[in-house]
Amino acid sequence: MATAAAVIFSLMTLIRLVPALHGRGSWPLLLVHALMAAVLWIMVPAVYLPVDQALGGRNVLNLLQHSFITSVMFGALGTAVARGGIHRPELSRRIWHGWGLVLFVVGVGGVIVSFFCIDAPYSAMGMNPFLDQETTGFYKGFTFVYPAYVCGALIGPTVKKARQTREALARRSLDVMTVGLGLVLVLTPIYFGIVLAGNGLQKVIDLVLYSATFLILGGLTGLFVYARRLSSKQYR
């Protein structure tokens, strides 16, 4: 399934590349699709294991995914939502500056520090064999510190936009996006609580958090489809 999703997002990246190069596309959305494709390819064992072995066989590829790739992807996703989804471009500055920058550094730094505290002697996709270690839980939890901030900055304006929208496709897209934003915002602190409590639900929460990303991106795609339809009607 990860392979099929990776192929789809790779194709979407290529499709969006040409319009973006000609100034007609969204660069943040292009970056999201490219980084999502990268994340999904990393989840494919036939890709992860040989690439990670080439990097030393100590899960450095997983570190890159959980630190920079996921954080930059959420920053770009938040920018795309702010500019093209809810038409609040000023929020993109909040995402990348001030507390946004602070929490980006905290999240990435927490991932890196936690990674070097994990006893992981061999390459393992997803680091799942090492989930019995508390530091692995913190490693995965810190991955979503900055994404949770991004979602927190966007969820209020998104809900407000949904209430003001009457067209069915746009409203449903905003509702789907709100659910995704809410899941990341709420489940991130819960994840840390589960780690501290020694509960075995990390895998479930981890899966839901990544699924929430698809909801946000799916809602945003629906809004772009709506905007394209509206534009085509205006030029008929």
mmCIF file of all heavy atoms in Angstrom, residues 32-54:
data_model
loop_
_atom_site.group_PDB
_atom_site.id
_atom_site.type_symbol
_atom_site.label_atom_id
_atom_site.label_comp_id
_atom_site.label_asym_id
_atom_site.label_seq_id
_atom_site.Cartn_x
_atom_site.Cartn_y
_atom_site.Cartn_z
ATOM 1 N N VAL A 32 4.935 19.955 -0.557
ATOM 2 C CA VAL A 32 4.226 18.980 0.278
ATOM 3 C C VAL A 32 4.138 17.638 -0.430
ATOM 4 O O VAL A 32 4.421 16.586 0.156
ATOM 5 C CB VAL A 32 2.812 19.486 0.633
ATOM 6 C CG1 VAL A 32 2.001 18.381 1.307
ATOM 7 C CG2 VAL A 32 2.884 20.693 1.554
ATOM 8 N N HIS A 33 3.732 17.656 -1.709
ATOM 9 C CA HIS A 33 3.606 16.415 -2.465
ATOM 10 C C HIS A 33 4.961 15.709 -2.606
ATOM 11 O O HIS A 33 5.041 14.475 -2.475
ATOM 12 C CB HIS A 33 3.020 16.698 -3.849
ATOM 13 C CG HIS A 33 1.544 16.918 -3.828
ATOM 14 N ND1 HIS A 33 0.944 17.977 -4.470
ATOM 15 C CD2 HIS A 33 0.544 16.234 -3.236
ATOM 16 C CE1 HIS A 33 -0.362 17.925 -4.288
ATOM 17 N NE2 HIS A 33 -0.625 16.884 -3.534
ATOM 18 N N ALA A 34 6.012 16.482 -2.857
ATOM 19 C CA ALA A 34 7.344 15.896 -3.011
ATOM 20 C C ALA A 34 7.825 15.267 -1.704
ATOM 21 O O ALA A 34 8.351 14.144 -1.694
ATOM 22 C CB ALA A 34 8.333 16.961 -3.480
ATOM 23 N N LEU A 35 7.621 15.977 -0.581
ATOM 24 C CA LEU A 35 8.075 15.450 0.711
ATOM 25 C C LEU A 35 7.204 14.288 1.175
ATOM 26 O O LEU A 35 7.703 13.343 1.804
ATOM 27 C CB LEU A 35 8.074 16.571 1.757
ATOM 28 C CG LEU A 35 9.126 17.665 1.525
ATOM 29 C CD1 LEU A 35 8.981 18.776 2.547
ATOM 30 C CD2 LEU A 35 10.530 17.080 1.570
ATOM 31 N N MET A 36 5.895 14.348 0.868
ATOM 32 C CA MET A 36 5.024 13.219 1.201
ATOM 33 C C MET A 36 5.451 11.979 0.412
ATOM 34 O O MET A 36 5.457 10.861 0.950
ATOM 35 C CB MET A 36 3.575 13.565 0.892
ATOM 36 C CG MET A 36 2.586 12.437 1.219
ATOM 37 S SD MET A 36 2.528 12.031 2.975
ATOM 38 C CE MET A 36 1.388 13.286 3.540
ATOM 39 N N ALA A 37 5.813 12.167 -0.848
ATOM 40 C CA ALA A 37 6.319 11.052 -1.653
ATOM 41 C C ALA A 37 7.581 10.476 -1.015
ATOM 42 O O ALA A 37 7.748 9.249 -0.931
ATOM 43 C CB ALA A 37 6.604 11.510 -3.081
ATOM 44 N N ALA A 38 8.465 11.368 -0.544
ATOM 45 C CA ALA A 38 9.701 10.912 0.098
ATOM 46 C C ALA A 38 9.404 10.105 1.359
ATOM 47 O O ALA A 38 9.994 9.037 1.585
ATOM 48 C CB ALA A 38 10.580 12.116 0.437
ATOM 49 N N VAL A 39 8.475 10.614 2.193
ATOM 50 C CA VAL A 39 8.086 9.902 3.420
ATOM 51 C C VAL A 39 7.540 8.517 3.088
ATOM 52 O O VAL A 39 7.879 7.518 3.739
ATOM 53 C CB VAL A 39 7.041 10.716 4.211
ATOM 54 C CG1 VAL A 39 6.412 9.870 5.312
ATOM 55 C CG2 VAL A 39 7.690 11.958 4.809
ATOM 56 N N LEU A 40 6.696 8.440 2.079
ATOM 57 C CA LEU A 40 6.078 7.162 1.705
ATOM 58 C C LEU A 40 7.093 6.182 1.126
ATOM 59 O O LEU A 40 7.036 4.979 1.411
ATOM 60 C CB LEU A 40 4.936 7.401 0.724
ATOM 61 C CG LEU A 40 3.703 8.090 1.329
ATOM 62 C CD1 LEU A 40 2.777 8.607 0.238
ATOM 63 C CD2 LEU A 40 2.950 7.132 2.252
ATOM 64 N N TRP A 41 8.028 6.677 0.316
ATOM 65 C CA TRP A 41 9.065 5.789 -0.209
ATOM 66 C C TRP A 41 9.938 5.245 0.922
ATOM 67 O O TRP A 41 10.382 4.085 0.873
ATOM 68 C CB TRP A 41 9.938 6.515 -1.233
ATOM 69 C CG TRP A 41 9.317 6.636 -2.596
ATOM 70 C CD1 TRP A 41 8.994 7.783 -3.260
ATOM 71 C CD2 TRP A 41 8.940 5.554 -3.464
ATOM 72 N NE1 TRP A 41 8.431 7.492 -4.480
ATOM 73 C CE2 TRP A 41 8.386 6.129 -4.633
ATOM 74 C CE3 TRP A 41 9.012 4.165 -3.362
ATOM 75 C CZ2 TRP A 41 7.915 5.361 -5.687
ATOM 76 C CZ3 TRP A 41 8.532 3.395 -4.412
ATOM 77 C CH2 TRP A 41 7.999 3.990 -5.564
ATOM 78 N N ILE A 42 10.175 6.064 1.953
ATOM 79 C CA ILE A 42 10.960 5.609 3.104
ATOM 80 C C ILE A 42 10.233 4.479 3.845
ATOM 81 O O ILE A 42 10.864 3.651 4.500
ATOM 82 C CB ILE A 42 11.258 6.799 4.046
ATOM 83 C CG1 ILE A 42 12.256 7.759 3.378
ATOM 84 C CG2 ILE A 42 11.808 6.334 5.387
ATOM 85 C CD1 ILE A 42 12.467 9.060 4.121
ATOM 86 N N MET A 43 8.902 4.438 3.724
ATOM 87 C CA MET A 43 8.122 3.388 4.384
ATOM 88 C C MET A 43 8.107 2.073 3.603
ATOM 89 O O MET A 43 7.525 1.087 4.049
ATOM 90 C CB MET A 43 6.681 3.865 4.591
ATOM 91 C CG MET A 43 6.537 4.989 5.586
ATOM 92 S SD MET A 43 4.808 5.506 5.773
ATOM 93 C CE MET A 43 4.975 6.794 7.019
ATOM 94 N N VAL A 44 8.735 2.056 2.444
ATOM 95 C CA VAL A 44 8.806 0.839 1.632
ATOM 96 C C VAL A 44 10.093 0.093 1.990
ATOM 97 O O VAL A 44 11.192 0.631 1.811
ATOM 98 C CB VAL A 44 8.799 1.176 0.126
ATOM 99 C CG1 VAL A 44 8.926 -0.089 -0.712
ATOM 100 C CG2 VAL A 44 7.526 1.939 -0.239
ATOM 101 N N PRO A 45 10.001 -1.141 2.525
ATOM 102 C CA PRO A 45 11.201 -1.865 2.953
ATOM 103 C C PRO A 45 12.263 -2.000 1.873
ATOM 104 O O PRO A 45 13.466 -1.883 2.151
ATOM 105 C CB PRO A 45 10.646 -3.250 3.347
ATOM 106 C CG PRO A 45 9.219 -3.000 3.709
ATOM 107 C CD PRO A 45 8.762 -1.896 2.801
ATOM 108 N N ALA A 46 11.838 -2.230 0.621
ATOM 109 C CA ALA A 46 12.796 -2.408 -0.476
ATOM 110 C C ALA A 46 13.584 -1.133 -0.753
ATOM 111 O O ALA A 46 14.650 -1.172 -1.387
ATOM 112 C CB ALA A 46 12.069 -2.857 -1.737
ATOM 113 N N VAL A 47 13.060 0.008 -0.299
ATOM 114 C CA VAL A 47 13.764 1.283 -0.453
ATOM 115 C C VAL A 47 14.530 1.617 0.827
ATOM 116 O O VAL A 47 15.714 1.965 0.790
ATOM 117 C CB VAL A 47 12.773 2.423 -0.785
ATOM 118 C CG1 VAL A 47 13.488 3.774 -0.794
ATOM 119 C CG2 VAL A 47 12.092 2.165 -2.121
ATOM 120 N N TYR A 48 13.832 1.509 1.954
ATOM 121 C CA TYR A 48 14.419 1.936 3.228
ATOM 122 C C TYR A 48 15.695 1.177 3.579
ATOM 123 O O TYR A 48 16.732 1.789 3.889
ATOM 124 C CB TYR A 48 13.406 1.774 4.356
ATOM 125 C CG TYR A 48 13.956 2.182 5.709
ATOM 126 C CD1 TYR A 48 13.949 3.520 6.101
ATOM 127 C CD2 TYR A 48 14.520 1.239 6.571
ATOM 128 C CE1 TYR A 48 14.477 3.900 7.327
ATOM 129 C CE2 TYR A 48 15.050 1.616 7.797
ATOM 130 C CZ TYR A 48 15.019 2.949 8.174
ATOM 131 O OH TYR A 48 15.549 3.325 9.381
ATOM 132 N N LEU A 49 15.622 -0.144 3.556
ATOM 133 C CA LEU A 49 16.738 -0.956 4.053
ATOM 134 C C LEU A 49 18.038 -0.747 3.270
ATOM 135 O O LEU A 49 19.084 -0.481 3.878
ATOM 136 C CB LEU A 49 16.334 -2.433 4.079
ATOM 137 C CG LEU A 49 15.219 -2.767 5.087
ATOM 138 C CD1 LEU A 49 14.784 -4.215 4.952
ATOM 139 C CD2 LEU A 49 15.689 -2.469 6.509
ATOM 140 N N PRO A 50 18.032 -0.811 1.920
ATOM 141 C CA PRO A 50 19.306 -0.597 1.208
ATOM 142 C C PRO A 50 19.828 0.835 1.318
ATOM 143 O O PRO A 50 21.038 1.050 1.427
ATOM 144 C CB PRO A 50 18.974 -0.951 -0.248
ATOM 145 C CG PRO A 50 17.501 -0.875 -0.353
ATOM 146 C CD PRO A 50 16.965 -1.229 0.991
ATOM 147 N N VAL A 51 18.901 1.819 1.298
ATOM 148 C CA VAL A 51 19.349 3.214 1.418
ATOM 149 C C VAL A 51 19.933 3.464 2.803
ATOM 150 O O VAL A 51 20.983 4.106 2.949
ATOM 151 C CB VAL A 51 18.188 4.192 1.130
ATOM 152 C CG1 VAL A 51 18.613 5.632 1.415
ATOM 153 C CG2 VAL A 51 17.722 4.066 -0.314
ATOM 154 N N ASP A 52 19.259 2.958 3.845
ATOM 155 C CA ASP A 52 19.763 3.152 5.201
ATOM 156 C C ASP A 52 21.087 2.423 5.401
ATOM 157 O O ASP A 52 21.980 2.926 6.101
ATOM 158 C CB ASP A 52 18.736 2.668 6.229
ATOM 159 C CG ASP A 52 19.095 3.127 7.636
ATOM 160 O OD1 ASP A 52 19.130 4.358 7.862
ATOM 161 O OD2 ASP A 52 19.358 2.261 8.505
ATOM 162 N N GLN A 53 21.226 1.242 4.795
ATOM 163 C CA GLN A 53 22.502 0.529 4.869
ATOM 164 C C GLN A 53 23.619 1.349 4.234
ATOM 165 O O GLN A 53 24.743 1.389 4.735
ATOM 166 C CB GLN A 53 22.386 -0.835 4.169
ATOM 167 C CG GLN A 53 21.585 -1.868 4.942
ATOM 168 C CD GLN A 53 22.221 -2.255 6.255
ATOM 169 O OE1 GLN A 53 23.441 -2.296 6.384
ATOM 170 N NE2 GLN A 53 21.398 -2.519 7.258
ATOM 171 N N ALA A 54 23.299 2.013 3.131
ATOM 172 C CA ALA A 54 24.293 2.857 2.456
ATOM 173 C C ALA A 54 24.707 4.042 3.332
ATOM 174 O O ALA A 54 25.816 4.562 3.203
ATOM 175 C CB ALA A 54 23.738 3.358 1.122
#
